[in-house]
Amino acid sequence: MKKYILFFAMACLVAACSNDIATSELTTQKATLNLLLSAAPNVASRAINAQADGKIYDCTVITFDKNGNVSGKGYQTVEGGVDKFNMAVGLSTNKGEKCKVYAVANTNNPTLFDNVTSLTSFLDMFVTIASPEALTAGNINVCAGASSTALTTQGQLMVSDSLPVTITDGVVPFRLTLYSQCAKVNFEINAEMGDAINGFTVTGYRLFKVPLSGYLHQKYDASTVDTRFSAPDGQYGNFPRVDLSGRPTNVQFTYYIQENHQGRRSGATNSKTRIAANAPDNATYLEVYVQKNGLNGTYRYYLGNLLEDVNQSHYDYYNLLRGSDYYITININDIDENDDRFEWD
């Protein structure tokens, strides 16, 4: 299993002359933000359609003061969708130190965040889907507490991160990078040698344990990779089974899923020991169905082999992270009955 994570850097927030502004002034006056918003390059996304991938169609910007209270909001649409644009209109925010600024793209709803009054209520918002297939249909819900608002998104949901910033007099320019709320998982199954020499056939596949909800904004950071964060509503679903005809020797397919942060589970020391007994209950896995001599069998592959260090494989990690592009190649040369990942039906 191999995986490449796209790391998206957010440029430093720029605020001029912050040392010359007294604290009393910072908390009582107004300032206008001049934002340059851009989608991260090659963003992994929900591919509603190829044209919408990585495009910004609308954007909401929310600012919070140092106490976590909302100090400003703004919403703007972008005709046709773009990779980046400047946003300065409709957003006037209280000045202050240790403020935070967030942007959310492609909600297609100017009133979605009307009930957000604090940073806590914003971070508690999560996305829900009725089934895994809804990630490509574009029909999702964003929930805040007990209420939910139906959305039909134009492009994939993208959210920025924020660093503490001092907002001062006049126009404050800085840039925010928007990254995908989902992960993209690319599969390739090779069975050419097995088919030709050992006489077995790959007959289908199915992806299991896909989160049906995920926080709109990431509620953890890189230091918590050992920690499990279940889907906010606790629900997981499965993609439909895909049956293959003929005797395919190479199968390629892609799934878009909300991140599944299952953390670390001890027990797996190599690829063959990544089995149910050593995996969290809600870890995502792929089943590959094979046939030989009239018998049907199943291989199970657990996903989320997090490679923080390219020279070390962390077989006991089961995270699938947002804004990441995963490449997983599965080579099957024969039926190995001693492989715990395989069982006959």
Side-chain angles (χ1 to χ4, degrees):
M1 183 185 296
K2 58 181 179 178
K3 168 180 141 333
Y4 303 93
I5 298 182
L6 305 180
F7 292 95
F8 306 140
M10 185 176 69
C12 295
L13 307 183
V14 179
C17 305
S18 60
N19 294 331
D20 298 329
I21 305 299
T23 302
S24 60
E25 293 178 319
L26 290 171
T27 58
T28 58
Q29 299 183 29
K30 293 283 185 177
T32 300
L33 299 185
N34 183 6
L35 304 173
L36 174 60
L37 297 131
S38 60
N42 301 317
V43 65
S45 66
R46 289 185 301 106
I48 295 173
N49 58 66
Q51 292 73 31
D53 237 7
K55 298 293 185 182
I56 303 170
Y57 291 87
D58 64 75
C59 195
T60 301
V61 175
I62 310 174
T63 61
F64 301 91
D65 63 23
K66 64 180 181 180
N67 296 316
N69 298 315
V70 171
S71 57
K73 292 179 185 177
Y75 177 83
Q76 186 172 325
T77 58
V78 187
E79 185 176 355
V82 294
D83 295 322
K84 63 178 63 177
F85 78 106
N86 287 291
M87 180 175 179
V89 297
L91 180 65
S92 184
T93 182
N94 291 323
K95 296 190 297 181
E97 297 172 322
K98 299 181 180 179
C99 301
K100 289 192 173 183
V101 182
Y102 292 89
V104 182
N106 300 332
T107 65
N108 197 32
N109 188 338
T111 64
L112 179 64
F113 300 99
D114 282 359
N115 294 327
V116 172
T117 59
S118 66
L119 182 57
T120 299
S121 59
F122 172 70
L123 296 179
D124 283 342
M125 298 183 73
F126 56 87
V127 175
T128 64
I129 54 177
S131 64
E133 305 94 293
L135 291 173
T136 56
N139 298 315
I140 60 177
N141 291 325
V142 172
C143 301
S147 64
S148 68
T149 304
L151 297 177
T152 301
T153 61
Q154 299 176 40
Q156 77 276 16
L157 278 174
M158 295 186 289
V159 188
S160 76
D161 208 341
S162 178
L163 296 175
V165 58
T166 297
I167 299 176
T168 63
D169 279 326
V171 175
V172 183
F174 62 90
R175 61 181 67 218
L176 290 173
T177 300
L178 296 158
Y179 57 90
S180 174
Q181 198 264 349
C182 291
K184 181 179 181 181
V185 189
N186 308 275
F187 291 96
E188 181 175 1
I189 301 173
N190 293 311
E192 183 174 4
M193 183 181 297
D195 178 71
I197 299 175
N198 298 312
F200 74 86
T201 304
V202 175
T203 60
Y205 59 85
R206 190 179 187 186
L207 192 65
F208 289 81
K209 292 291 185 178
V210 177
L212 297 184
S213 64
Y215 286 106
L216 186 65
H217 192 274
Q218 196 164 280
K219 295 194 71 172
Y220 51 87
D221 56 40
S223 65
T224 60
V225 291
D226 289 357
T227 307
R228 292 180 60 191
F229 290 88
S230 296
D233 65 3
Q235 302 298 312
Y236 294 80
N238 309 321
F239 275 96
R241 172 171 170 152
V242 176
D243 292 312
L244 303 172
S245 60
R247 301 182 68 88
T249 57
N250 179 269
V251 182
Q252 299 182 38
F253 52 96
T254 298
Y255 284 120
Y256 298 85
I257 72 171
Q258 294 181 118
E259 62 183 341
N260 195 10
H261 199 283
Q262 290 299 311
R264 194 173 196 174
R265 174 79 177 267
S266 61
T269 57
N270 53 49
S271 59
K272 284 191 174 183
T273 53
R274 286 172 64 85
I275 58 177
N278 296 328
D281 292 339
N282 292 320
T284 303
Y285 62 89
L286 180 77
E287 287 190 349
V288 179
Y289 307 115
V290 298
Q291 187 177 75
K292 183 176 182 178
N293 298 328
L295 298 176
N296 296 312
T298 301
Y299 275 102
R300 178 178 291 186
Y301 297 88
Y302 277 90
L303 310 186
N305 185 18
L306 178 63
L307 299 181
E308 289 188 302
D309 180 352
V310 294
N311 297 314
Q312 182 179 2
S313 294
H314 298 279
Y315 293 105
D316 52 350
Y317 280 101
Y318 295 87
N319 294 327
L320 286 172
L321 304 180
R322 67 174 64 201
S324 299
D325 207 353
Y326 292 83
Y327 290 84
I328 299 170
T329 301
I330 300 171
N331 299 309
I332 307 177
N333 297 322
D334 201 358
I335 304 300
D336 182 1
E337 295 182 352
N338 295 318
D339 190 331
D340 290 335
R341 296 171 298 177
F342 174 79
E343 65 179 14
W344 291 110
D345 293 352

